[in-house]
Amino acid sequence: MAPQTIDGSDSMMRVLIWGTPALLLFGAVFNLSARGPVRRVLMLLGNASYSLYLSHLVVLRIAQEMIERWPPDIAPDTLLALLMTVCLSVGIAAWALLEKPLLAVTRRLLLGRPAGQATEPRQSVPSRLLEGRS
């Protein structure tokens, strides 16, 4: 018996829907020293992960309402791939337009330094304990 997709049919969309995320997870775990565009994409997804987590629920709720009112005439596999793309796009946009700037402002207000500015290295022994010792 061949594996089936969400709607019960056999299709290559199964590879795209389940195989692509599995490949990304596998690649992230076993290729921690990724370079170039792969590293940039993984870093972007990692940076935007909290925004993705928060925004995907809103996107899926809106999609649910739209699907109930105007049922789409596309395969469920295609709809799932489309929703995944929309969730990723909205999450990354929320990170770039909201989370990243708010983090920068928070760092500047709380730490008194611009975001991205390195902190001074910490000493393992406080300097007050080293005073008077030569």
Side-chain angles (χ1 to χ4, degrees):
M1 181 175 198
Q4 295 183 334
T5 55
I6 294 168
D7 67 346
S9 66
D10 299 328
S11 75
M12 281 301 291
M13 287 302 290
R14 177 179 168 81
V15 174
L16 293 174
I17 292 169
W18 300 107
T20 303
L23 178 66
L24 289 173
L25 285 173
F26 179 83
V29 170
F30 292 103
N31 191 10
L32 297 176
S33 62
R35 299 280 184 247
V38 172
R39 180 176 175 81
R40 285 191 294 271
V41 168
L42 293 176
M43 291 294 292
L44 175 63
L45 291 175
N47 288 334
S49 63
Y50 190 63
S51 290
L52 288 164
Y53 166 71
L54 292 176
S55 65
H56 87 279
L57 296 172
V58 175
V59 171
L60 292 179
R61 181 67 179 137
I62 291 170
Q64 179 185 11
E65 290 292 324
M66 291 176 65
I67 290 167
E68 288 173 357
R69 290 183 187 182
W70 307 288
D73 190 23
I74 58 175
D77 295 343
T78 306
L79 180 61
L80 181 61
L82 177 65
L83 288 174
M84 286 174 58
T85 303
V86 171
C87 284
L88 286 170
S89 300
V90 169
I92 291 169
W95 170 74
L97 299 173
L98 296 172
E99 183 182 356
K100 188 177 175 183
L102 286 173
L103 285 173
V105 168
T106 303
R107 281 188 190 104
R108 192 169 47 250
L109 291 175
L110 294 178
L111 303 175
R113 62 181 171 83
Q117 180 181 353
T119 59
E120 294 181 23
R122 295 181 184 211
Q123 295 178 345
S124 58
V125 179
S127 58
R128 63 182 167 79
L129 295 177
L130 295 176
E131 292 174 7
R133 294 187 181 194
S134 302

